[in-house]
C-alpha cells in the first residue's frame, strides 16, 4: 500500500491524558528484536508502560479560565512537535488549543494558542481533535466534534490562525446511530485511509463503534454507509477510539476506552487485517 495518509502513528512519545493533563508514556516491548522487515511490522507479544509526570497542563490567561487539558493529538513535522488538545474551563465549556516545541523537555513551558482566537473557528463547542496530513490534497486536516463530525484544513500546521472554518463530514446523525445510541452521545471522530477508501470511525458511549466510508477521490465528501463494526456493553466499549496502521503491513490496531462502573477509564485493543 502506498502511504497517502499520515497520522500520529509513528511517534517516539505517546501522549496520554491523565488527571486533566498530559503525561508521557513510553512503550517498551520485551519481545526479541525482529529478524526481518516483515517481523518489524508485528505488534509485540508483551510490553510494559513507564510514565512520567504531567507534561502539558492548563495555561489560563485573561480570556481563558482553563482548568483541564486532554485528548492530545500529536504529529512531528519539520523538526517540531505539534500538539492539539481539548480544553475545559470553569463553566464546563469545551474548546481546542495548540502548542508546539522541538523537544518534549520544553512541553511544559511552551505557550498555548487557543483556537477560539482564530476567527474562522471562533467561540464554539469543539473537542476531541485528531490531526493528520492528507497527501492527495497537500492539506493538514484537524478533525473534531462540534456536535457533528467536523474538520478544518490548513497548509501550515504551525499557524493556528490559518485553520479554515469547520465543515461537516456528515450533516446529521445517521439512522443507525440514532437507533442504537440510547442515552449516549455521538462523538470522538477518527479518520484513516487505505489506497482506495477513507473511513470515519465514531463512538456513542453506549457500546458501539461505527464506521462510515468514502473514496479517497471523494474525500472529504461522500461519507455514507455507516455501520456498526464492533459492539459490546457500554462499560466495555465506551469512547475515545483510535485506529493506526501497523508499520507497512496490512494490520490495523484499534484502541478504545472502556469505563468501569466507578467511572475509571481503561483501554482495550483490537487488530484487523484491513479497514473494510
Amino acid at each position: 500500500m502506498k502511504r497517502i495518509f499520515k497520522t500520529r502513528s509513528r511517534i517516539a512519545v505517546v501522549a496520554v491524558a491523565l488527571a486533566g493533563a498530559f503525561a508521557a508514556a513510553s512503550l517498551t516491548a520485551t519481545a526479541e528484536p525482529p529478524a526481518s522487515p516483515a517481523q518489524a511490522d508485528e505488534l509485540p507479544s508483551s510490553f510494559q508502560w513507564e510514565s512520567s509526570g504531567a507534561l502539558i497542563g492548563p495555561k489560563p490567561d485573561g480570556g481563558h479560565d482553563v482548568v483541564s487539558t486532554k485528548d492530545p493529538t500529536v504529529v512531528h513535522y519539520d523538526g517540531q512537535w505539534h500538539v492539539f488538545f481539548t480544553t475545559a474551563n470553569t463553566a464546563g465549556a469545551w474548546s481546542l488549543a495548540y502548542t508546539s516545541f522541538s523537544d518534549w523537555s520544553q512541553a511544559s513551558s511552551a505557550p498555548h494558542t487557543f483556537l477560539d482566537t482564530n476567527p474562522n473557528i471562533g467561540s464554539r463547542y469543539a473537542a476531541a481533535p485528531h490531526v493528520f496530513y492528507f497527501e492527495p490534497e497537500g492539506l493538514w486536516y484537524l478533525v473534531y466534534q462540534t456536535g457533528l463530525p467536523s474538520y478544518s484544513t490548513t497548509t501550515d500546521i504551525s499557524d493556528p490562525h490559518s485553520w479554515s472554518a469547520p465543515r461537516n463530514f456528515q450533516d446529521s446523525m445517521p439512522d443507525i446511530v440514532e437507533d442504537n445510541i440510547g442515552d449516549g452521545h455521538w462523538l470522538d471522530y477518527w479518520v484513516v485511509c487505505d489506497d482506495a477508501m477513507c473511513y470515519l470511525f465514531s463512538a456513542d458511549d453506549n457500546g458501539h463503534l461505527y464506521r462510515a466510508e468514502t473514496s479517497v477521490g471523494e474525500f472529504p465528501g461522500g461519507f455514507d454507509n455507516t455501520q456498526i463494526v464492533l459492539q459490546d456493553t457500554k462499560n466495555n466499549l465506551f469512547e475515545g477510539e483510535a485506529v493506526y496502521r501497523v508499520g507497512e503491513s496490512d494490520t490495523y490496531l484499534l484502541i478504545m476506552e472502556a469505563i468501569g462502573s466507578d467511572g475509571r477509564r481503561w483501554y482495550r485493543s483490537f487488530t484487523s487485517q484491513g479497514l473494510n
Side-chain angles (χ1 to χ4, degrees), residues 187-228:
L187 77 178
D188 288 346
Y189 307 106
W190 184 278
V191 175
V192 61
C193 304
D194 59 22
D195 287 12
M197 302 293 291
C198 293
Y199 299 90
L200 172 66
F201 289 87
S202 58
D204 67 0
D205 285 351
N206 195 38
H208 302 95
L209 176 68
Y210 302 94
R211 187 199 67 209
E213 63 185 35
T214 189
S215 67
V216 170
E218 289 182 284
F219 181 83
F223 275 110
D224 60 8
N225 192 29
T226 303
Q227 302 178 42
I228 296 173

mmCIF file of all heavy atoms in Angstrom, residues 187-228:
data_model
loop_
_atom_site.group_PDB
_atom_site.id
_atom_site.type_symbol
_atom_site.label_atom_id
_atom_site.label_comp_id
_atom_site.label_asym_id
_atom_site.label_seq_id
_atom_site.Cartn_x
_atom_site.Cartn_y
_atom_site.Cartn_z
ATOM 1 N N LEU A 187 -19.826 10.823 19.194
ATOM 2 C CA LEU A 187 -18.632 11.615 19.466
ATOM 3 C C LEU A 187 -17.352 10.886 19.048
ATOM 4 O O LEU A 187 -17.382 9.759 18.580
ATOM 5 C CB LEU A 187 -18.576 11.978 20.958
ATOM 6 C CG LEU A 187 -18.146 10.924 21.997
ATOM 7 C CD1 LEU A 187 -18.122 11.558 23.387
ATOM 8 C CD2 LEU A 187 -18.977 9.681 22.012
ATOM 9 N N ASP A 188 -16.225 11.575 19.226
ATOM 10 C CA ASP A 188 -14.874 11.024 19.054
ATOM 11 C C ASP A 188 -14.658 10.481 17.635
ATOM 12 O O ASP A 188 -14.524 9.282 17.423
ATOM 13 C CB ASP A 188 -14.583 9.942 20.102
ATOM 14 C CG ASP A 188 -14.392 10.534 21.489
ATOM 15 O OD1 ASP A 188 -14.218 11.761 21.585
ATOM 16 O OD2 ASP A 188 -14.415 9.774 22.468
ATOM 17 N N TYR A 189 -14.569 11.409 16.688
ATOM 18 C CA TYR A 189 -14.470 11.050 15.276
ATOM 19 C C TYR A 189 -13.009 10.852 14.871
ATOM 20 O O TYR A 189 -12.129 11.617 15.263
ATOM 21 C CB TYR A 189 -15.125 12.133 14.427
ATOM 22 C CG TYR A 189 -16.530 12.427 14.893
ATOM 23 C CD1 TYR A 189 -16.826 13.602 15.595
ATOM 24 C CD2 TYR A 189 -17.554 11.513 14.687
ATOM 25 C CE1 TYR A 189 -18.105 13.852 16.055
ATOM 26 C CE2 TYR A 189 -18.842 11.752 15.153
ATOM 27 C CZ TYR A 189 -19.110 12.925 15.829
ATOM 28 O OH TYR A 189 -20.384 13.170 16.294
ATOM 29 N N TRP A 190 -12.770 9.830 14.082
ATOM 30 C CA TRP A 190 -11.411 9.455 13.692
ATOM 31 C C TRP A 190 -11.411 9.037 12.232
ATOM 32 O O TRP A 190 -12.234 8.219 11.811
ATOM 33 C CB TRP A 190 -10.931 8.297 14.571
ATOM 34 C CG TRP A 190 -9.506 7.902 14.327
ATOM 35 C CD1 TRP A 190 -9.029 7.086 13.333
ATOM 36 C CD2 TRP A 190 -8.364 8.305 15.077
ATOM 37 N NE1 TRP A 190 -7.663 6.963 13.422
ATOM 38 C CE2 TRP A 190 -7.233 7.708 14.486
ATOM 39 C CE3 TRP A 190 -8.190 9.124 16.194
ATOM 40 C CZ2 TRP A 190 -5.943 7.893 14.979
ATOM 41 C CZ3 TRP A 190 -6.919 9.309 16.683
ATOM 42 C CH2 TRP A 190 -5.808 8.700 16.084
ATOM 43 N N VAL A 191 -10.476 9.586 11.440
ATOM 44 C CA VAL A 191 -10.384 9.272 10.014
ATOM 45 C C VAL A 191 -9.083 8.530 9.734
ATOM 46 O O VAL A 191 -8.020 8.917 10.223
ATOM 47 C CB VAL A 191 -10.439 10.562 9.169
ATOM 48 C CG1 VAL A 191 -10.220 10.239 7.689
ATOM 49 C CG2 VAL A 191 -11.773 11.276 9.356
ATOM 50 N N VAL A 192 -9.174 7.467 8.923
ATOM 51 C CA VAL A 192 -7.986 6.745 8.475
ATOM 52 C C VAL A 192 -8.288 6.196 7.086
ATOM 53 O O VAL A 192 -9.437 5.853 6.781
ATOM 54 C CB VAL A 192 -7.595 5.627 9.469
ATOM 55 C CG1 VAL A 192 -8.690 4.592 9.603
ATOM 56 C CG2 VAL A 192 -6.287 4.969 9.074
ATOM 57 N N CYS A 193 -7.280 6.156 6.222
ATOM 58 C CA CYS A 193 -7.476 5.764 4.824
ATOM 59 C C CYS A 193 -6.541 4.629 4.431
ATOM 60 O O CYS A 193 -5.468 4.460 5.006
ATOM 61 C CB CYS A 193 -7.207 6.938 3.889
ATOM 62 S SG CYS A 193 -8.176 8.415 4.207
ATOM 63 N N ASP A 194 -6.955 3.868 3.400
ATOM 64 C CA ASP A 194 -6.053 2.946 2.726
ATOM 65 C C ASP A 194 -5.859 3.450 1.296
ATOM 66 O O ASP A 194 -6.067 4.633 1.021
ATOM 67 C CB ASP A 194 -6.562 1.503 2.804
ATOM 68 C CG ASP A 194 -7.946 1.315 2.193
ATOM 69 O OD1 ASP A 194 -8.353 2.154 1.354
ATOM 70 O OD2 ASP A 194 -8.624 0.338 2.543
ATOM 71 N N ASP A 195 -5.480 2.593 0.372
ATOM 72 C CA ASP A 195 -5.228 3.026 -1.001
ATOM 73 C C ASP A 195 -6.442 3.671 -1.655
ATOM 74 O O ASP A 195 -6.319 4.665 -2.369
ATOM 75 C CB ASP A 195 -4.821 1.832 -1.871
ATOM 76 C CG ASP A 195 -3.424 1.346 -1.569
ATOM 77 O OD1 ASP A 195 -2.860 1.779 -0.552
ATOM 78 O OD2 ASP A 195 -2.908 0.529 -2.351
ATOM 79 N N ALA A 196 -7.601 3.087 -1.416
ATOM 80 C CA ALA A 196 -8.784 3.466 -2.188
ATOM 81 C C ALA A 196 -9.852 4.182 -1.388
ATOM 82 O O ALA A 196 -10.610 4.979 -1.945
ATOM 83 C CB ALA A 196 -9.404 2.209 -2.820
ATOM 84 N N MET A 197 -9.940 3.910 -0.079
ATOM 85 C CA MET A 197 -11.064 4.376 0.711
ATOM 86 C C MET A 197 -10.608 5.125 1.959
ATOM 87 O O MET A 197 -9.523 4.870 2.490
ATOM 88 C CB MET A 197 -11.940 3.192 1.140
ATOM 89 C CG MET A 197 -12.496 2.361 -0.006
ATOM 90 S SD MET A 197 -13.701 3.256 -1.017
ATOM 91 C CE MET A 197 -15.065 3.388 0.162
ATOM 92 N N CYS A 198 -11.466 6.018 2.413
ATOM 93 C CA CYS A 198 -11.286 6.687 3.703
ATOM 94 C C CYS A 198 -12.451 6.288 4.602
ATOM 95 O O CYS A 198 -13.595 6.181 4.146
ATOM 96 C CB CYS A 198 -11.252 8.204 3.538
ATOM 97 S SG CYS A 198 -9.803 8.818 2.642
ATOM 98 N N TYR A 199 -12.141 6.090 5.873
ATOM 99 C CA TYR A 199 -13.128 5.601 6.826
ATOM 100 C C TYR A 199 -13.231 6.567 8.006
ATOM 101 O O TYR A 199 -12.218 7.037 8.535
ATOM 102 C CB TYR A 199 -12.740 4.212 7.330
ATOM 103 C CG TYR A 199 -12.666 3.183 6.218
ATOM 104 C CD1 TYR A 199 -11.474 2.961 5.530
ATOM 105 C CD2 TYR A 199 -13.793 2.465 5.840
ATOM 106 C CE1 TYR A 199 -11.409 2.039 4.509
ATOM 107 C CE2 TYR A 199 -13.738 1.534 4.811
ATOM 108 C CZ TYR A 199 -12.541 1.326 4.151
ATOM 109 O OH TYR A 199 -12.476 0.414 3.118
ATOM 110 N N LEU A 200 -14.457 6.854 8.396
ATOM 111 C CA LEU A 200 -14.748 7.723 9.529
ATOM 112 C C LEU A 200 -15.303 6.868 10.652
ATOM 113 O O LEU A 200 -16.406 6.320 10.540
ATOM 114 C CB LEU A 200 -15.759 8.796 9.129
ATOM 115 C CG LEU A 200 -16.312 9.684 10.239
ATOM 116 C CD1 LEU A 200 -15.208 10.574 10.826
ATOM 117 C CD2 LEU A 200 -17.468 10.546 9.718
ATOM 118 N N PHE A 201 -14.530 6.729 11.735
ATOM 119 C CA PHE A 201 -14.964 5.970 12.900
ATOM 120 C C PHE A 201 -15.581 6.917 13.925
ATOM 121 O O PHE A 201 -15.187 8.088 14.016
ATOM 122 C CB PHE A 201 -13.785 5.226 13.529
ATOM 123 C CG PHE A 201 -13.290 4.067 12.700
ATOM 124 C CD1 PHE A 201 -12.341 4.245 11.712
ATOM 125 C CD2 PHE A 201 -13.787 2.783 12.907
ATOM 126 C CE1 PHE A 201 -11.875 3.187 10.944
ATOM 127 C CE2 PHE A 201 -13.337 1.707 12.153
ATOM 128 C CZ PHE A 201 -12.372 1.908 11.165
ATOM 129 N N SER A 202 -16.511 6.398 14.708
ATOM 130 C CA SER A 202 -17.121 7.188 15.772
ATOM 131 C C SER A 202 -17.656 6.260 16.845
ATOM 132 O O SER A 202 -17.794 5.044 16.639
ATOM 133 C CB SER A 202 -18.255 8.068 15.217
ATOM 134 O OG SER A 202 -19.252 7.284 14.572
ATOM 135 N N ALA A 203 -17.951 6.823 18.000
ATOM 136 C CA ALA A 203 -18.450 6.062 19.149
ATOM 137 C C ALA A 203 -19.751 6.686 19.635
ATOM 138 O O ALA A 203 -20.144 7.773 19.191
ATOM 139 C CB ALA A 203 -17.408 6.054 20.270
ATOM 140 N N ASP A 204 -20.424 5.991 20.587
ATOM 141 C CA ASP A 204 -21.689 6.540 21.082
ATOM 142 C C ASP A 204 -21.856 6.445 22.600
ATOM 143 O O ASP A 204 -22.957 6.668 23.113
ATOM 144 C CB ASP A 204 -22.877 5.861 20.387
ATOM 145 C CG ASP A 204 -23.043 4.377 20.730
ATOM 146 O OD1 ASP A 204 -22.229 3.846 21.526
ATOM 147 O OD2 ASP A 204 -23.974 3.748 20.194
ATOM 148 N N ASP A 205 -20.794 6.116 23.327
ATOM 149 C CA ASP A 205 -20.899 5.964 24.790
ATOM 150 C C ASP A 205 -21.930 4.905 25.182
ATOM 151 O O ASP A 205 -22.430 4.911 26.306
ATOM 152 C CB ASP A 205 -21.275 7.295 25.468
ATOM 153 C CG ASP A 205 -20.116 8.272 25.525
ATOM 154 O OD1 ASP A 205 -18.986 7.876 25.196
ATOM 155 O OD2 ASP A 205 -20.349 9.446 25.886
ATOM 156 N N ASN A 206 -22.247 4.016 24.248
ATOM 157 C CA ASN A 206 -23.281 3.020 24.534
ATOM 158 C C ASN A 206 -22.926 1.663 23.938
ATOM 159 O O ASN A 206 -23.806 0.894 23.558
ATOM 160 C CB ASN A 206 -24.637 3.498 23.994
ATOM 161 C CG ASN A 206 -25.801 2.707 24.563
ATOM 162 O OD1 ASN A 206 -25.805 2.344 25.740
ATOM 163 N ND2 ASN A 206 -26.799 2.427 23.721
ATOM 164 N N GLY A 207 -21.608 1.387 23.818
ATOM 165 C CA GLY A 207 -21.191 0.059 23.425
ATOM 166 C C GLY A 207 -21.062 -0.190 21.940
ATOM 167 O O GLY A 207 -20.974 -1.348 21.522
ATOM 168 N N HIS A 208 -21.028 0.882 21.113
ATOM 169 C CA HIS A 208 -20.958 0.690 19.664
ATOM 170 C C HIS A 208 -19.814 1.493 19.050
ATOM 171 O O HIS A 208 -19.586 2.654 19.414
ATOM 172 C CB HIS A 208 -22.269 1.128 19.003
ATOM 173 C CG HIS A 208 -23.470 0.423 19.511
ATOM 174 N ND1 HIS A 208 -24.269 0.948 20.512
ATOM 175 C CD2 HIS A 208 -24.000 -0.795 19.198
ATOM 176 C CE1 HIS A 208 -25.251 0.103 20.774
ATOM 177 N NE2 HIS A 208 -25.114 -0.965 20.002
ATOM 178 N N LEU A 209 -19.116 0.858 18.113
ATOM 179 C CA LEU A 209 -18.145 1.538 17.264
ATOM 180 C C LEU A 209 -18.713 1.552 15.849
ATOM 181 O O LEU A 209 -19.054 0.498 15.297
ATOM 182 C CB LEU A 209 -16.796 0.820 17.273
ATOM 183 C CG LEU A 209 -15.725 1.394 16.344
ATOM 184 C CD1 LEU A 209 -15.268 2.762 16.826
ATOM 185 C CD2 LEU A 209 -14.535 0.450 16.222
ATOM 186 N N TYR A 210 -18.806 2.772 15.270
ATOM 187 C CA TYR A 210 -19.387 2.934 13.940
ATOM 188 C C TYR A 210 -18.292 3.254 12.928
ATOM 189 O O TYR A 210 -17.246 3.812 13.275
ATOM 190 C CB TYR A 210 -20.408 4.083 13.937
ATOM 191 C CG TYR A 210 -21.537 3.904 14.917
ATOM 192 C CD1 TYR A 210 -21.467 4.463 16.194
ATOM 193 C CD2 TYR A 210 -22.688 3.192 14.572
ATOM 194 C CE1 TYR A 210 -22.512 4.315 17.100
ATOM 195 C CE2 TYR A 210 -23.736 3.046 15.477
ATOM 196 C CZ TYR A 210 -23.640 3.604 16.738
ATOM 197 O OH TYR A 210 -24.668 3.454 17.626
ATOM 198 N N ARG A 211 -18.580 2.932 11.656
ATOM 199 C CA ARG A 211 -17.657 3.267 10.575
ATOM 200 C C ARG A 211 -18.455 3.680 9.352
ATOM 201 O O ARG A 211 -19.316 2.939 8.871
ATOM 202 C CB ARG A 211 -16.784 2.061 10.224
ATOM 203 C CG ARG A 211 -15.665 2.360 9.224
ATOM 204 C CD ARG A 211 -15.158 1.085 8.577
ATOM 205 N NE ARG A 211 -16.193 0.490 7.738
ATOM 206 C CZ ARG A 211 -16.306 -0.811 7.487
ATOM 207 N NH1 ARG A 211 -15.465 -1.670 8.015
ATOM 208 N NH2 ARG A 211 -17.283 -1.267 6.714
ATOM 209 N N ALA A 212 -18.180 4.905 8.860
ATOM 210 C CA ALA A 212 -18.701 5.367 7.575
ATOM 211 C C ALA A 212 -17.550 5.341 6.578
ATOM 212 O O ALA A 212 -16.382 5.242 6.962
ATOM 213 C CB ALA A 212 -19.282 6.766 7.702
ATOM 214 N N GLU A 213 -17.871 5.444 5.285
ATOM 215 C CA GLU A 213 -16.818 5.325 4.281
ATOM 216 C C GLU A 213 -17.058 6.257 3.106
ATOM 217 O O GLU A 213 -18.188 6.654 2.804
ATOM 218 C CB GLU A 213 -16.724 3.879 3.799
ATOM 219 C CG GLU A 213 -17.978 3.382 3.098
ATOM 220 C CD GLU A 213 -17.899 1.905 2.734
ATOM 221 O OE1 GLU A 213 -17.294 1.127 3.528
ATOM 222 O OE2 GLU A 213 -18.430 1.542 1.681
ATOM 223 N N THR A 214 -15.953 6.606 2.442
ATOM 224 C CA THR A 214 -15.988 7.338 1.188
ATOM 225 C C THR A 214 -14.733 6.976 0.410
ATOM 226 O O THR A 214 -13.798 6.392 0.977
ATOM 227 C CB THR A 214 -16.071 8.861 1.418
ATOM 228 O OG1 THR A 214 -16.320 9.527 0.177
ATOM 229 C CG2 THR A 214 -14.782 9.408 2.021
ATOM 230 N N SER A 215 -14.688 7.303 -0.863
ATOM 231 C CA SER A 215 -13.487 7.020 -1.640
ATOM 232 C C SER A 215 -12.435 8.095 -1.384
ATOM 233 O O SER A 215 -12.756 9.221 -0.978
ATOM 234 C CB SER A 215 -13.813 6.971 -3.132
ATOM 235 O OG SER A 215 -14.191 8.258 -3.614
ATOM 236 N N VAL A 216 -11.181 7.755 -1.624
ATOM 237 C CA VAL A 216 -10.108 8.740 -1.498
ATOM 238 C C VAL A 216 -10.366 9.921 -2.420
ATOM 239 O O VAL A 216 -10.134 11.083 -2.065
ATOM 240 C CB VAL A 216 -8.744 8.085 -1.797
ATOM 241 C CG1 VAL A 216 -7.651 9.132 -1.923
ATOM 242 C CG2 VAL A 216 -8.385 7.083 -0.708
ATOM 243 N N GLY A 217 -10.885 9.638 -3.618
ATOM 244 C CA GLY A 217 -11.157 10.709 -4.571
ATOM 245 C C GLY A 217 -12.253 11.652 -4.122
ATOM 246 O O GLY A 217 -12.220 12.843 -4.441
ATOM 247 N N GLU A 218 -13.241 11.138 -3.390
ATOM 248 C CA GLU A 218 -14.351 11.976 -2.915
ATOM 249 C C GLU A 218 -14.028 12.689 -1.603
ATOM 250 O O GLU A 218 -14.681 13.683 -1.261
ATOM 251 C CB GLU A 218 -15.597 11.122 -2.715
ATOM 252 C CG GLU A 218 -16.265 10.627 -3.967
ATOM 253 C CD GLU A 218 -17.516 9.839 -3.643
ATOM 254 O OE1 GLU A 218 -17.366 8.668 -3.219
ATOM 255 O OE2 GLU A 218 -18.620 10.390 -3.788
ATOM 256 N N PHE A 219 -13.096 12.168 -0.838
ATOM 257 C CA PHE A 219 -12.771 12.743 0.473
ATOM 258 C C PHE A 219 -12.450 14.242 0.323
ATOM 259 O O PHE A 219 -11.771 14.637 -0.610
ATOM 260 C CB PHE A 219 -11.565 12.018 1.067
ATOM 261 C CG PHE A 219 -11.153 12.521 2.419
ATOM 262 C CD1 PHE A 219 -11.786 12.069 3.553
ATOM 263 C CD2 PHE A 219 -10.146 13.471 2.556
ATOM 264 C CE1 PHE A 219 -11.418 12.544 4.810
ATOM 265 C CE2 PHE A 219 -9.779 13.952 3.796
ATOM 266 C CZ PHE A 219 -10.411 13.482 4.930
ATOM 267 N N PRO A 220 -12.987 15.088 1.218
ATOM 268 C CA PRO A 220 -13.672 14.797 2.488
ATOM 269 C C PRO A 220 -15.190 14.621 2.370
ATOM 270 O O PRO A 220 -15.867 14.506 3.381
ATOM 271 C CB PRO A 220 -13.350 16.027 3.320
ATOM 272 C CG PRO A 220 -13.281 17.130 2.303
ATOM 273 C CD PRO A 220 -12.654 16.515 1.080
ATOM 274 N N GLY A 221 -15.725 14.622 1.138
ATOM 275 C CA GLY A 221 -17.153 14.428 0.965
ATOM 276 C C GLY A 221 -17.508 12.965 0.801
ATOM 277 O O GLY A 221 -16.645 12.088 0.704
ATOM 278 N N GLY A 222 -18.797 12.701 0.744
ATOM 279 C CA GLY A 222 -19.287 11.384 0.368
ATOM 280 C C GLY A 222 -19.390 10.352 1.458
ATOM 281 O O GLY A 222 -19.683 9.180 1.162
ATOM 282 N N PHE A 223 -19.172 10.701 2.708
ATOM 283 C CA PHE A 223 -19.235 9.680 3.765
ATOM 284 C C PHE A 223 -20.663 9.170 3.932
ATOM 285 O O PHE A 223 -21.592 9.938 4.210
ATOM 286 C CB PHE A 223 -18.735 10.243 5.092
ATOM 287 C CG PHE A 223 -17.238 10.176 5.250
ATOM 288 C CD1 PHE A 223 -16.473 11.332 5.215
ATOM 289 C CD2 PHE A 223 -16.598 8.964 5.436
ATOM 290 C CE1 PHE A 223 -15.090 11.269 5.359
ATOM 291 C CE2 PHE A 223 -15.226 8.885 5.580
ATOM 292 C CZ PHE A 223 -14.468 10.049 5.539
ATOM 293 N N ASP A 224 -20.828 7.852 3.762
ATOM 294 C CA ASP A 224 -22.123 7.217 3.971
ATOM 295 C C ASP A 224 -21.896 5.760 4.362
ATOM 296 O O ASP A 224 -20.799 5.385 4.755
ATOM 297 C CB ASP A 224 -23.009 7.338 2.729
ATOM 298 C CG ASP A 224 -22.390 6.687 1.500
ATOM 299 O OD1 ASP A 224 -21.346 6.000 1.617
ATOM 300 O OD2 ASP A 224 -22.958 6.848 0.396
ATOM 301 N N ASN A 225 -22.953 4.951 4.247
ATOM 302 C CA ASN A 225 -22.879 3.523 4.585
ATOM 303 C C ASN A 225 -22.344 3.321 6.004
ATOM 304 O O ASN A 225 -21.476 2.489 6.252
ATOM 305 C CB ASN A 225 -22.003 2.765 3.578
ATOM 306 C CG ASN A 225 -22.123 1.260 3.712
ATOM 307 O OD1 ASN A 225 -23.168 0.751 4.128
ATOM 308 N ND2 ASN A 225 -21.063 0.534 3.385
ATOM 309 N N THR A 226 -22.861 4.082 6.934
ATOM 310 C CA THR A 226 -22.449 3.950 8.331
ATOM 311 C C THR A 226 -22.903 2.597 8.881
ATOM 312 O O THR A 226 -24.070 2.232 8.755
ATOM 313 C CB THR A 226 -23.030 5.084 9.182
ATOM 314 O OG1 THR A 226 -22.622 6.345 8.635
ATOM 315 C CG2 THR A 226 -22.551 4.980 10.625
ATOM 316 N N GLN A 227 -21.970 1.872 9.473
ATOM 317 C CA GLN A 227 -22.243 0.543 10.007
ATOM 318 C C GLN A 227 -21.701 0.407 11.419
ATOM 319 O O GLN A 227 -20.761 1.112 11.803
ATOM 320 C CB GLN A 227 -21.570 -0.532 9.139
ATOM 321 C CG GLN A 227 -21.968 -0.532 7.691
ATOM 322 C CD GLN A 227 -21.212 -1.591 6.909
ATOM 323 O OE1 GLN A 227 -21.022 -2.717 7.381
ATOM 324 N NE2 GLN A 227 -20.770 -1.246 5.719
ATOM 325 N N ILE A 228 -22.275 -0.530 12.177
ATOM 326 C CA ILE A 228 -21.687 -0.933 13.451
ATOM 327 C C ILE A 228 -20.637 -1.987 13.148
ATOM 328 O O ILE A 228 -20.942 -3.026 12.573
ATOM 329 C CB ILE A 228 -22.748 -1.495 14.409
ATOM 330 C CG1 ILE A 228 -23.762 -0.418 14.782
ATOM 331 C CG2 ILE A 228 -22.088 -2.069 15.663
ATOM 332 C CD1 ILE A 228 -24.943 -0.948 15.585
#
